[in-house]
PDB file of all heavy atoms in Angstrom:
ATOM      1  N   GLN M 185    -102.969-197.010  69.248  1.00  0.00           N
ATOM      2  CA  GLN M 185    -102.599-198.049  70.177  1.00  0.00           C
ATOM      3  C   GLN M 185    -101.844-199.269  69.393  1.00  0.00           C
ATOM      4  O   GLN M 185    -101.074-199.865  69.928  1.00  0.00           O
ATOM      5  CB  GLN M 185    -103.739-198.606  70.866  1.00  0.00           C
ATOM      6  CG  GLN M 185    -104.693-197.614  71.556  1.00  0.00           C
ATOM      7  CD  GLN M 185    -104.044-197.047  72.844  1.00  0.00           C
ATOM      8  OE1 GLN M 185    -103.098-196.430  72.895  1.00  0.00           O
ATOM      9  NE2 GLN M 185    -104.649-197.333  74.008  1.00  0.00           N
ATOM     10  N   VAL M 186    -102.339-199.532  68.218  1.00  0.00           N
ATOM     11  CA  VAL M 186    -101.796-200.729  67.634  1.00  0.00           C
ATOM     12  C   VAL M 186    -100.634-200.325  66.640  1.00  0.00           C
ATOM     13  O   VAL M 186     -99.629-200.870  66.712  1.00  0.00           O
ATOM     14  CB  VAL M 186    -102.932-201.491  66.669  1.00  0.00           C
ATOM     15  CG1 VAL M 186    -102.313-202.589  65.904  1.00  0.00           C
ATOM     16  CG2 VAL M 186    -103.996-201.945  67.680  1.00  0.00           C
ATOM     17  N   LEU M 187    -100.865-199.334  65.749  1.00  0.00           N
ATOM     18  CA  LEU M 187     -99.834-199.054  64.733  1.00  0.00           C
ATOM     19  C   LEU M 187     -98.651-198.174  65.345  1.00  0.00           C
ATOM     20  O   LEU M 187     -97.512-198.618  65.392  1.00  0.00           O
ATOM     21  CB  LEU M 187    -100.412-198.305  63.449  1.00  0.00           C
ATOM     22  CG  LEU M 187    -101.420-199.161  62.705  1.00  0.00           C
ATOM     23  CD1 LEU M 187    -102.012-198.424  61.453  1.00  0.00           C
ATOM     24  CD2 LEU M 187    -100.820-200.473  62.257  1.00  0.00           C
ATOM     25  N   ILE M 188     -99.017-196.920  65.730  1.00  0.00           N
ATOM     26  CA  ILE M 188     -97.985-196.112  66.112  1.00  0.00           C
ATOM     27  C   ILE M 188     -97.226-196.517  67.341  1.00  0.00           C
ATOM     28  O   ILE M 188     -96.023-196.578  67.492  1.00  0.00           O
ATOM     29  CB  ILE M 188     -98.503-194.607  66.277  1.00  0.00           C
ATOM     30  CG1 ILE M 188     -99.105-194.090  64.965  1.00  0.00           C
ATOM     31  CG2 ILE M 188     -97.355-193.605  66.781  1.00  0.00           C
ATOM     32  CD1 ILE M 188     -99.696-192.757  64.962  1.00  0.00           C
ATOM     33  N   GLU M 189     -98.061-196.919  68.423  1.00  0.00           N
ATOM     34  CA  GLU M 189     -97.498-197.463  69.661  1.00  0.00           C
ATOM     35  C   GLU M 189     -96.750-198.717  69.319  1.00  0.00           C
ATOM     36  O   GLU M 189     -95.687-198.991  69.986  1.00  0.00           O
ATOM     37  CB  GLU M 189     -98.522-197.821  70.576  1.00  0.00           C
ATOM     38  CG  GLU M 189     -99.300-196.593  71.182  1.00  0.00           C
ATOM     39  CD  GLU M 189     -99.085-196.329  72.613  1.00  0.00           C
ATOM     40  OE1 GLU M 189     -97.859-196.294  72.985  1.00  0.00           O
ATOM     41  OE2 GLU M 189    -100.013-196.102  73.281  1.00  0.00           O
ATOM     42  N   GLY M 190     -97.260-199.537  68.558  1.00  0.00           N
ATOM     43  CA  GLY M 190     -96.563-200.837  68.142  1.00  0.00           C
ATOM     44  C   GLY M 190     -95.249-200.641  67.588  1.00  0.00           C
ATOM     45  O   GLY M 190     -94.269-201.201  68.010  1.00  0.00           O
ATOM     46  N   LEU M 191     -95.171-199.679  66.700  1.00  0.00           N
ATOM     47  CA  LEU M 191     -93.874-199.241  66.071  1.00  0.00           C
ATOM     48  C   LEU M 191     -92.895-198.634  67.056  1.00  0.00           C
ATOM     49  O   LEU M 191     -91.750-199.039  67.013  1.00  0.00           O
ATOM     50  CB  LEU M 191     -94.250-198.334  64.883  1.00  0.00           C
ATOM     51  CG  LEU M 191     -93.025-197.842  64.175  1.00  0.00           C
ATOM     52  CD1 LEU M 191     -92.800-198.731  62.972  1.00  0.00           C
ATOM     53  CD2 LEU M 191     -93.192-196.464  63.709  1.00  0.00           C
ATOM     54  N   ALA M 192     -93.447-197.810  67.914  1.00  0.00           N
ATOM     55  CA  ALA M 192     -92.538-197.010  68.857  1.00  0.00           C
ATOM     56  C   ALA M 192     -92.099-198.170  69.803  1.00  0.00           C
ATOM     57  O   ALA M 192     -90.773-198.009  70.084  1.00  0.00           O
ATOM     58  CB  ALA M 192     -93.414-195.974  69.529  1.00  0.00           C
ATOM     59  N   LEU M 193     -92.842-199.079  70.316  1.00  0.00           N
ATOM     60  CA  LEU M 193     -92.405-199.938  71.159  1.00  0.00           C
ATOM     61  C   LEU M 193     -91.276-200.779  70.651  1.00  0.00           C
ATOM     62  O   LEU M 193     -90.239-201.080  71.385  1.00  0.00           O
ATOM     63  CB  LEU M 193     -93.591-200.915  71.484  1.00  0.00           C
ATOM     64  CG  LEU M 193     -94.259-200.836  72.808  1.00  0.00           C
ATOM     65  CD1 LEU M 193     -95.289-201.885  72.904  1.00  0.00           C
ATOM     66  CD2 LEU M 193     -93.183-200.889  74.014  1.00  0.00           C
ATOM     67  N   ALA M 194     -91.348-201.284  69.382  1.00  0.00           N
ATOM     68  CA  ALA M 194     -90.332-202.047  68.829  1.00  0.00           C
ATOM     69  C   ALA M 194     -88.952-201.272  68.756  1.00  0.00           C
ATOM     70  O   ALA M 194     -87.896-201.663  69.096  1.00  0.00           O
ATOM     71  CB  ALA M 194     -90.707-202.486  67.399  1.00  0.00           C
ATOM     72  N   ALA M 195     -89.073-199.937  68.324  1.00  0.00           N
ATOM     73  CA  ALA M 195     -87.958-198.990  68.244  1.00  0.00           C
ATOM     74  C   ALA M 195     -87.345-198.774  69.682  1.00  0.00           C
ATOM     75  O   ALA M 195     -86.103-198.868  69.872  1.00  0.00           O
ATOM     76  CB  ALA M 195     -88.276-197.699  67.702  1.00  0.00           C
ATOM     77  N   PHE M 196     -88.245-198.541  70.666  1.00  0.00           N
ATOM     78  CA  PHE M 196     -87.659-198.455  72.050  1.00  0.00           C
ATOM     79  C   PHE M 196     -86.904-199.558  72.490  1.00  0.00           C
ATOM     80  O   PHE M 196     -85.808-199.553  73.041  1.00  0.00           O
ATOM     81  CB  PHE M 196     -88.867-198.285  73.045  1.00  0.00           C
ATOM     82  CG  PHE M 196     -89.676-196.978  72.999  1.00  0.00           C
ATOM     83  CD1 PHE M 196     -90.945-196.924  73.650  1.00  0.00           C
ATOM     84  CD2 PHE M 196     -89.360-195.983  71.996  1.00  0.00           C
ATOM     85  CE1 PHE M 196     -91.706-195.770  73.627  1.00  0.00           C
ATOM     86  CE2 PHE M 196     -90.208-194.833  71.949  1.00  0.00           C
ATOM     87  CZ  PHE M 196     -91.401-194.772  72.662  1.00  0.00           C
ATOM     88  N   GLY M 197     -87.559-200.808  72.131  1.00  0.00           N
ATOM     89  CA  GLY M 197     -86.958-202.082  72.591  1.00  0.00           C
ATOM     90  C   GLY M 197     -85.538-202.278  71.992  1.00  0.00           C
ATOM     91  O   GLY M 197     -84.570-202.760  72.678  1.00  0.00           O
ATOM     92  N   MET M 198     -85.440-201.981  70.720  1.00  0.00           N
ATOM     93  CA  MET M 198     -84.106-202.233  70.128  1.00  0.00           C
ATOM     94  C   MET M 198     -83.070-201.240  70.706  1.00  0.00           C
ATOM     95  O   MET M 198     -81.902-201.680  70.844  1.00  0.00           O
ATOM     96  CB  MET M 198     -84.255-201.948  68.555  1.00  0.00           C
ATOM     97  CG  MET M 198     -84.703-203.182  67.898  1.00  0.00           C
ATOM     98  SD  MET M 198     -84.754-202.841  66.177  1.00  0.00           S
ATOM     99  CE  MET M 198     -86.387-202.208  65.975  1.00  0.00           C
ATOM    100  N   ILE M 199     -83.413-200.124  71.006  1.00  0.00           N
ATOM    101  CA  ILE M 199     -82.437-199.208  71.633  1.00  0.00           C
ATOM    102  C   ILE M 199     -82.158-199.562  72.970  1.00  0.00           C
ATOM    103  O   ILE M 199     -80.980-199.676  73.534  1.00  0.00           O
ATOM    104  CB  ILE M 199     -82.813-197.715  71.499  1.00  0.00           C
ATOM    105  CG1 ILE M 199     -83.089-197.359  70.016  1.00  0.00           C
ATOM    106  CG2 ILE M 199     -81.693-196.823  72.109  1.00  0.00           C
ATOM    107  CD1 ILE M 199     -83.653-195.922  69.819  1.00  0.00           C
ATOM    108  N   ARG M 200     -83.186-199.811  73.830  1.00  0.00           N
ATOM    109  CA  ARG M 200     -83.098-200.311  75.175  1.00  0.00           C
ATOM    110  C   ARG M 200     -82.041-201.527  75.337  1.00  0.00           C
ATOM    111  O   ARG M 200     -81.132-201.615  76.145  1.00  0.00           O
ATOM    112  CB  ARG M 200     -84.409-200.652  75.761  1.00  0.00           C
ATOM    113  CG  ARG M 200     -84.374-201.279  77.189  1.00  0.00           C
ATOM    114  CD  ARG M 200     -85.499-202.015  77.580  1.00  0.00           C
ATOM    115  NE  ARG M 200     -85.753-203.222  76.766  1.00  0.00           N
ATOM    116  CZ  ARG M 200     -86.802-203.995  76.785  1.00  0.00           C
ATOM    117  NH1 ARG M 200     -87.864-203.606  77.610  1.00  0.00           N
ATOM    118  NH2 ARG M 200     -87.008-204.982  76.016  1.00  0.00           N
ATOM    119  N   ASP M 201     -82.242-202.464  74.434  1.00  0.00           N
ATOM    120  CA  ASP M 201     -81.425-203.678  74.464  1.00  0.00           C
ATOM    121  C   ASP M 201     -80.013-203.516  73.853  1.00  0.00           C
ATOM    122  O   ASP M 201     -79.182-204.411  74.112  1.00  0.00           O
ATOM    123  CB  ASP M 201     -82.177-204.871  73.698  1.00  0.00           C
ATOM    124  CG  ASP M 201     -83.510-205.125  74.417  1.00  0.00           C
ATOM    125  OD1 ASP M 201     -83.669-204.708  75.699  1.00  0.00           O
ATOM    126  OD2 ASP M 201     -84.361-205.680  73.841  1.00  0.00           O
ATOM    127  N   THR M 202     -79.723-202.398  73.120  1.00  0.00           N
ATOM    128  CA  THR M 202     -78.418-202.298  72.574  1.00  0.00           C
ATOM    129  C   THR M 202     -77.528-201.178  73.063  1.00  0.00           C
ATOM    130  O   THR M 202     -76.395-201.221  73.095  1.00  0.00           O
ATOM    131  CB  THR M 202     -78.493-202.202  71.012  1.00  0.00           C
ATOM    132  OG1 THR M 202     -79.374-201.111  70.761  1.00  0.00           O
ATOM    133  CG2 THR M 202     -79.119-203.386  70.365  1.00  0.00           C
ATOM    134  N   THR M 203     -78.259-200.123  73.696  1.00  0.00           N
ATOM    135  CA  THR M 203     -77.395-199.058  74.104  1.00  0.00           C
ATOM    136  C   THR M 203     -76.593-199.371  75.426  1.00  0.00           C
ATOM    137  O   THR M 203     -77.148-200.159  76.235  1.00  0.00           O
ATOM    138  CB  THR M 203     -78.283-197.820  74.416  1.00  0.00           C
ATOM    139  OG1 THR M 203     -77.409-196.725  74.769  1.00  0.00           O
ATOM    140  CG2 THR M 203     -79.207-197.995  75.534  1.00  0.00           C
ATOM    141  N   ASP M 204     -75.458-198.945  75.546  1.00  0.00           N
ATOM    142  CA  ASP M 204     -74.694-199.118  76.750  1.00  0.00           C
ATOM    143  C   ASP M 204     -74.664-197.902  77.577  1.00  0.00           C
ATOM    144  O   ASP M 204     -73.876-197.728  78.544  1.00  0.00           O
ATOM    145  CB  ASP M 204     -73.131-199.605  76.392  1.00  0.00           C
ATOM    146  CG  ASP M 204     -72.487-198.664  75.430  1.00  0.00           C
ATOM    147  OD1 ASP M 204     -73.182-197.614  74.948  1.00  0.00           O
ATOM    148  OD2 ASP M 204     -71.328-198.874  75.134  1.00  0.00           O
ATOM    149  N   LYS M 205     -75.473-196.889  77.209  1.00  0.00           N
ATOM    150  CA  LYS M 205     -75.504-195.622  77.998  1.00  0.00           C
ATOM    151  C   LYS M 205     -76.640-195.754  79.045  1.00  0.00           C
ATOM    152  O   LYS M 205     -77.820-195.895  78.701  1.00  0.00           O
ATOM    153  CB  LYS M 205     -75.702-194.431  77.048  1.00  0.00           C
ATOM    154  CG  LYS M 205     -74.831-194.472  75.842  1.00  0.00           C
ATOM    155  CD  LYS M 205     -73.412-194.058  76.352  1.00  0.00           C
ATOM    156  CE  LYS M 205     -72.493-194.032  75.119  1.00  0.00           C
ATOM    157  NZ  LYS M 205     -71.045-193.847  75.385  1.00  0.00           N
ATOM    158  N   PRO M 206     -76.247-195.521  80.309  1.00  0.00           N
ATOM    159  CA  PRO M 206     -77.241-195.708  81.362  1.00  0.00           C
ATOM    160  C   PRO M 206     -78.595-194.801  81.424  1.00  0.00           C
ATOM    161  O   PRO M 206     -79.584-195.391  81.662  1.00  0.00           O
ATOM    162  CB  PRO M 206     -76.530-195.536  82.737  1.00  0.00           C
ATOM    163  CG  PRO M 206     -75.298-194.878  82.355  1.00  0.00           C
ATOM    164  CD  PRO M 206     -74.982-195.210  80.959  1.00  0.00           C
ATOM    165  N   LEU M 207     -78.448-193.581  80.894  1.00  0.00           N
ATOM    166  CA  LEU M 207     -79.630-192.738  81.081  1.00  0.00           C
ATOM    167  C   LEU M 207     -80.722-193.083  79.976  1.00  0.00           C
ATOM    168  O   LEU M 207     -81.727-193.337  80.321  1.00  0.00           O
ATOM    169  CB  LEU M 207     -79.300-191.320  80.902  1.00  0.00           C
ATOM    170  CG  LEU M 207     -80.424-190.361  81.123  1.00  0.00           C
ATOM    171  CD1 LEU M 207     -81.115-190.422  82.501  1.00  0.00           C
ATOM    172  CD2 LEU M 207     -80.018-188.835  80.873  1.00  0.00           C
ATOM    173  N   PRO M 208     -80.322-193.218  78.720  1.00  0.00           N
ATOM    174  CA  PRO M 208     -81.353-193.556  77.732  1.00  0.00           C
ATOM    175  C   PRO M 208     -81.861-194.921  78.081  1.00  0.00           C
ATOM    176  O   PRO M 208     -83.070-195.242  77.845  1.00  0.00           O
ATOM    177  CB  PRO M 208     -80.664-193.551  76.426  1.00  0.00           C
ATOM    178  CG  PRO M 208     -79.162-193.397  76.640  1.00  0.00           C
ATOM    179  CD  PRO M 208     -79.045-192.847  78.014  1.00  0.00           C
ATOM    180  N   LYS M 209     -80.989-195.833  78.655  1.00  0.00           N
ATOM    181  CA  LYS M 209     -81.464-197.281  79.021  1.00  0.00           C
ATOM    182  C   LYS M 209     -82.558-197.146  80.068  1.00  0.00           C
ATOM    183  O   LYS M 209     -83.590-197.860  79.889  1.00  0.00           O
ATOM    184  CB  LYS M 209     -80.232-198.121  79.427  1.00  0.00           C
ATOM    185  CG  LYS M 209     -80.464-199.498  79.154  1.00  0.00           C
ATOM    186  CD  LYS M 209     -79.249-200.341  79.627  1.00  0.00           C
ATOM    187  CE  LYS M 209     -79.154-201.745  79.425  1.00  0.00           C
ATOM    188  NZ  LYS M 209     -78.895-202.132  77.980  1.00  0.00           N
ATOM    189  N   GLN M 210     -82.374-196.346  81.007  1.00  0.00           N
ATOM    190  CA  GLN M 210     -83.326-196.130  82.142  1.00  0.00           C
ATOM    191  C   GLN M 210     -84.622-195.638  81.515  1.00  0.00           C
ATOM    192  O   GLN M 210     -85.808-196.130  81.703  1.00  0.00           O
ATOM    193  CB  GLN M 210     -82.906-195.166  83.106  1.00  0.00           C
ATOM    194  CG  GLN M 210     -82.100-195.674  84.310  1.00  0.00           C
ATOM    195  CD  GLN M 210     -81.689-194.588  85.199  1.00  0.00           C
ATOM    196  OE1 GLN M 210     -82.326-193.546  85.442  1.00  0.00           O
ATOM    197  NE2 GLN M 210     -80.592-194.786  85.924  1.00  0.00           N
ATOM    198  N   ILE M 211     -84.516-194.604  80.711  1.00  0.00           N
ATOM    199  CA  ILE M 211     -85.778-193.958  80.185  1.00  0.00           C
ATOM    200  C   ILE M 211     -86.550-194.976  79.457  1.00  0.00           C
ATOM    201  O   ILE M 211     -87.726-195.146  79.559  1.00  0.00           O
ATOM    202  CB  ILE M 211     -85.350-192.751  79.277  1.00  0.00           C
ATOM    203  CG1 ILE M 211     -84.741-191.630  80.093  1.00  0.00           C
ATOM    204  CG2 ILE M 211     -86.592-192.323  78.439  1.00  0.00           C
ATOM    205  CD1 ILE M 211     -84.177-190.424  79.316  1.00  0.00           C
ATOM    206  N   LEU M 212     -85.892-195.658  78.492  1.00  0.00           N
ATOM    207  CA  LEU M 212     -86.609-196.618  77.616  1.00  0.00           C
ATOM    208  C   LEU M 212     -87.284-197.742  78.483  1.00  0.00           C
ATOM    209  O   LEU M 212     -88.391-198.144  78.178  1.00  0.00           O
ATOM    210  CB  LEU M 212     -85.659-197.119  76.534  1.00  0.00           C
ATOM    211  CG  LEU M 212     -85.277-195.991  75.563  1.00  0.00           C
ATOM    212  CD1 LEU M 212     -84.120-196.467  74.799  1.00  0.00           C
ATOM    213  CD2 LEU M 212     -86.424-195.692  74.585  1.00  0.00           C
ATOM    214  N   ALA M 213     -86.391-198.235  79.393  1.00  0.00           N
ATOM    215  CA  ALA M 213     -87.035-199.386  80.174  1.00  0.00           C
ATOM    216  C   ALA M 213     -88.190-198.969  80.967  1.00  0.00           C
ATOM    217  O   ALA M 213     -89.236-199.733  80.935  1.00  0.00           O
ATOM    218  CB  ALA M 213     -85.906-199.974  81.112  1.00  0.00           C
ATOM    219  N   TYR M 214     -88.299-197.832  81.568  1.00  0.00           N
ATOM    220  CA  TYR M 214     -89.408-197.402  82.383  1.00  0.00           C
ATOM    221  C   TYR M 214     -90.545-197.023  81.465  1.00  0.00           C
ATOM    222  O   TYR M 214     -91.703-197.252  81.815  1.00  0.00           O
ATOM    223  CB  TYR M 214     -89.007-196.222  83.198  1.00  0.00           C
ATOM    224  CG  TYR M 214     -87.943-196.591  84.259  1.00  0.00           C
ATOM    225  CD1 TYR M 214     -87.082-195.718  84.870  1.00  0.00           C
ATOM    226  CD2 TYR M 214     -87.959-197.947  84.852  1.00  0.00           C
ATOM    227  CE1 TYR M 214     -86.143-196.142  85.809  1.00  0.00           C
ATOM    228  CE2 TYR M 214     -86.877-198.334  85.780  1.00  0.00           C
ATOM    229  CZ  TYR M 214     -86.145-197.352  86.302  1.00  0.00           C
ATOM    230  OH  TYR M 214     -85.199-197.786  87.241  1.00  0.00           O
ATOM    231  N   VAL M 215     -90.274-196.369  80.400  1.00  0.00           N
ATOM    232  CA  VAL M 215     -91.484-196.078  79.503  1.00  0.00           C
ATOM    233  C   VAL M 215     -92.108-197.287  78.931  1.00  0.00           C
ATOM    234  O   VAL M 215     -93.365-197.507  78.844  1.00  0.00           O
ATOM    235  CB  VAL M 215     -90.900-195.090  78.371  1.00  0.00           C
ATOM    236  CG1 VAL M 215     -91.977-195.086  77.225  1.00  0.00           C
ATOM    237  CG2 VAL M 215     -90.631-193.725  78.802  1.00  0.00           C
ATOM    238  N   MET M 216     -91.186-198.313  78.609  1.00  0.00           N
ATOM    239  CA  MET M 216     -91.866-199.551  78.023  1.00  0.00           C
ATOM    240  C   MET M 216     -92.638-200.332  79.110  1.00  0.00           C
ATOM    241  O   MET M 216     -93.547-201.077  78.735  1.00  0.00           O
ATOM    242  CB  MET M 216     -90.744-200.419  77.628  1.00  0.00           C
ATOM    243  CG  MET M 216     -90.107-199.855  76.257  1.00  0.00           C
ATOM    244  SD  MET M 216     -88.888-200.974  75.548  1.00  0.00           S
ATOM    245  CE  MET M 216     -89.884-202.147  74.762  1.00  0.00           C
ATOM    246  N   GLN M 217     -92.333-200.157  80.315  1.00  0.00           N
ATOM    247  CA  GLN M 217     -93.218-200.836  81.373  1.00  0.00           C
ATOM    248  C   GLN M 217     -94.570-200.264  81.260  1.00  0.00           C
ATOM    249  O   GLN M 217     -95.531-201.126  81.415  1.00  0.00           O
ATOM    250  CB  GLN M 217     -92.497-200.416  82.764  1.00  0.00           C
ATOM    251  CG  GLN M 217     -93.135-201.232  83.941  1.00  0.00           C
ATOM    252  CD  GLN M 217     -92.539-200.760  85.247  1.00  0.00           C
ATOM    253  OE1 GLN M 217     -91.936-199.601  85.323  1.00  0.00           O
ATOM    254  NE2 GLN M 217     -92.609-201.610  86.254  1.00  0.00           N
ATOM    255  N   ASP M 218     -94.787-199.015  81.017  1.00  0.00           N
ATOM    256  CA  ASP M 218     -96.132-198.495  80.985  1.00  0.00           C
ATOM    257  C   ASP M 218     -96.757-198.945  79.525  1.00  0.00           C
ATOM    258  O   ASP M 218     -97.911-199.188  79.492  1.00  0.00           O
ATOM    259  CB  ASP M 218     -96.140-196.997  80.824  1.00  0.00           C
ATOM    260  CG  ASP M 218     -95.675-196.340  82.192  1.00  0.00           C
ATOM    261  OD1 ASP M 218     -95.750-197.045  83.186  1.00  0.00           O
ATOM    262  OD2 ASP M 218     -95.183-195.198  82.196  1.00  0.00           O
ATOM    263  N   GLU M 219     -95.918-198.951  78.550  1.00  0.00           N
ATOM    264  CA  GLU M 219     -96.468-199.157  77.310  1.00  0.00           C
ATOM    265  C   GLU M 219     -97.047-200.638  77.135  1.00  0.00           C
ATOM    266  O   GLU M 219     -97.992-200.808  76.290  1.00  0.00           O
ATOM    267  CB  GLU M 219     -95.406-198.948  76.076  1.00  0.00           C
ATOM    268  CG  GLU M 219     -94.815-197.656  75.987  1.00  0.00           C
ATOM    269  CD  GLU M 219     -95.832-196.514  75.541  1.00  0.00           C
ATOM    270  OE1 GLU M 219     -96.954-196.792  75.167  1.00  0.00           O
ATOM    271  OE2 GLU M 219     -95.400-195.354  75.703  1.00  0.00           O
TER     272      GLU M 219
END
Side-chain angles (χ1 to χ4, degrees):
Q185 310 281 68
V186 177
L187 297 182
I188 302 179
E189 296 246 48
L191 180 90
L193 256 184
F196 295 172
M198 272 182 276
I199 302 176
R200 176 197 64 188
D201 298 340
T202 51
T203 185
D204 55 357
K205 309 289 179 185
L207 183 63
K209 208 180 186 76
Q210 273 180 25
I211 291 175
L212 292 161
Y214 294 151
V215 166
M216 287 185 80
Q217 187 181 22
D218 293 341
E219 300 295 351

